[in-house]
Amino acid sequence: MPISNVGLQILPFSKEKDTYGLVDEAIKVIQDSGVKYEVTALETILEGELDELLDVVKKTVYATVEAGADEVAAEVKIHFRPQGTSIEEKVGKYRKSNQ
């Protein structure tokens, strides 16, 4: 199966819980999933087989609600190419220039 990238932004809404804490719960699901990922300021990028990544997305939504979110919006971006694609291919050339 080709490797895909998914950009995921979890937007939890809660009257009582801290937003960052709820997002942390979503990121923990990603960390525990075993897929390659990078957390950025506005979204987390996942890398792997598309079916597996979509399952991780679903689990992050459920985990955020279980952690106390009243509701969750998720913005999902998918880059699928039959021959595969990677995070490194997209941003690797920028990694050292800004550090």
Side-chain angles (χ1 to χ4, degrees):
M1 295 296 270
I3 299 300
S4 298
N5 293 145
V6 168
L8 173 61
Q9 183 182 33
I10 293 290
L11 303 163
F13 301 96
S14 176
K15 294 176 185 155
E16 297 180 11
K17 297 284 186 170
D18 172 60
T19 300
Y20 289 126
L22 294 169
V23 171
D24 287 343
E25 291 300 318
I27 293 171
K28 183 174 180 346
V29 169
I30 295 167
Q31 291 171 327
D32 292 347
S33 74
V35 302
K36 184 175 180 179
Y37 69 94
E38 286 190 22
V39 176
T40 71
L42 297 176
E43 68 182 1
T44 300
I45 312 302
L46 312 176
E47 183 174 296
E49 292 184 7
L50 185 56
D51 287 341
E52 180 181 21
L53 299 182
L54 293 175
D55 189 48
V56 172
V57 168
K58 180 174 64 174
K59 288 177 181 177
T60 64
V61 171
Y62 292 151
T64 306
V65 171
E66 289 172 9
D70 299 319
E71 59 185 291
V72 178
E75 183 168 322
V76 179
K77 300 172 196 166
I78 299 171
H79 183 201
F80 177 85
R81 188 181 327 150
Q83 64 270 28
T85 186
S86 71
I87 297 169
E88 185 65 25
E89 168 188 345
K90 293 176 181 71
V91 298
K93 65 183 177 184
Y94 300 109
R95 290 190 192 280
K96 294 182 183 178
S97 66
N98 208 11
Q99 295 179 2

